[in-house]
Amino acid sequence: MNIKMNLKKRILLGYLIPLLLMLGVALAVYWSIGTLRQISNALDQSHAVAEQVKKAHLGLVQLQRSARGYVLFKNDGSRKNYQSARSVLRDGLRRLSEEVKDPAQLENVRRFSELSHRMEAEEQKYIDLVDAGKAPQALALFRDGRSINLVGELDALAGAIVKREAEIVEARHEAQSDAMAQLMTVAVGATAFAIVLALVLGAWIASRIAQSIGEAIAGMSTSSTEIATTVNEHERVVTQQAAAVNETTSTVEELGASSRQSAT
């Protein structure tokens, strides 16, 4: 029974270690996939940031054009376009502030939002002056060039945001490539190691099993030899006892014969 238990333990050990190793591989792969998923989400976020920058910048351009058109022609179409462009601008700025996580990029977005609100305030002044019947003053204010300077700063900031986001995307692509390489290394390397370990353990366990069986056979042979020796000893004793009985019988017969002769 002790040999059987030892064999069972060795066989279970041979299965258990490779299984534990494969479990470790599975956990490593799961962790690597989680890392890749995070990087992928970050890349999607970077694309969303670039999209919202373009949206906000487009809203600024449309806002400026609509305000100029209203100053020159004071028509309902320009006012509606102005209101639509303002909504696009505000929505783009709101989404941009939600998507950006990078500290340096957050400062760019904060400055971009600040200048955008100043630009919107300047354009609103033109609208208000025209509505108050002061179109010449609105035109003179426009010619002052204050809003044009703001446009230049906004264009530069938008370019800085796009450039910084491109750098972030490049870094994340590199991280994604590294994570993929690490995943492949872990999967292939650990699997190969598990196979080699399984072969080594299998050979070791087979050797130990053969050794245990040999020891058991040797023990059984020794026991058989001892039993055979004991049987031979018993047979010798029985033979001696039979000889003694025969001698006793002969002696009794001789005594009987002597008695009969004496009686005669």
Side-chain angles (χ1 to χ4, degrees), residues 39-247:
I39 295 173
S40 178
N41 292 337
L43 285 171
D44 292 339
Q45 186 181 56
S46 294
H47 293 315
V49 169
E51 186 66 27
Q52 295 307 321
V53 169
K54 292 178 181 178
K55 182 178 180 179
H57 194 257
L58 178 62
L60 281 171
V61 173
Q62 292 176 343
L63 186 76
Q64 191 178 29
R65 288 179 178 176
S66 300
R68 290 175 183 176
Y70 193 74
V71 169
L72 294 174
F73 305 108
K74 194 183 178 180
N75 55 8
D76 292 337
S78 296
R79 174 176 280 278
K80 290 179 180 179
N81 290 336
Y82 174 81
Q83 293 173 347
S84 176
R86 184 172 59 184
S87 298
V88 170
L89 172 62
R90 290 179 177 178
D91 184 66
L93 292 175
R94 179 181 60 81
R95 291 179 180 271
L96 192 59
S97 62
E98 292 174 355
E99 295 289 347
V100 172
K101 304 298 180 184
D102 181 69
Q105 195 73 302
L106 281 172
E107 178 59 27
N108 290 334
V109 170
R110 185 196 65 78
R111 180 61 177 164
F112 185 80
S113 298
E114 178 184 342
L115 291 178
S116 296
H117 291 313
R118 285 175 57 186
M119 169 66 75
E120 181 183 343
E122 287 293 326
E123 301 300 334
Q124 186 63 46
K125 287 180 183 178
Y126 304 150
I127 301 293
D128 293 340
L129 286 173
V130 172
D131 289 340
K134 301 178 180 179
Q137 295 181 15
L139 187 59
L141 184 62
F142 174 74
R143 289 174 178 172
D144 185 50
R146 186 183 304 175
S147 62
I148 296 176
N149 294 332
L150 287 175
V151 169
E153 292 185 45
L154 284 166
D155 289 342
L157 270 176
I161 293 173
V162 171
K163 180 181 178 181
R164 175 57 185 166
E165 209 59 40
E167 293 173 353
I168 294 173
V169 168
E170 183 179 357
R172 286 170 178 169
H173 275 304
E174 292 179 358
Q176 188 177 43
S177 299
D178 293 341
M180 284 294 296
Q182 183 179 12
L183 175 60
M184 292 298 296
T185 301
V186 169
V188 175
T191 302
F193 180 71
I195 292 173
V196 172
L197 182 62
L199 292 175
V200 172
L201 285 175
W204 177 77
I205 291 171
S207 175
R208 295 297 298 172
I209 290 174
Q211 182 180 352
S212 298
I213 293 174
E215 291 173 354
I217 293 174
M220 292 173 63
S221 298
T222 302
S223 299
S224 299
T225 302
E226 292 176 352
I227 291 171
T229 302
T230 303
V231 169
N232 291 332
E233 182 67 23
H234 286 172
E235 289 179 352
R236 186 179 63 79
V237 171
V238 169
T239 301
Q240 290 177 352
Q241 290 177 349
V245 170
N246 289 333
E247 291 178 358

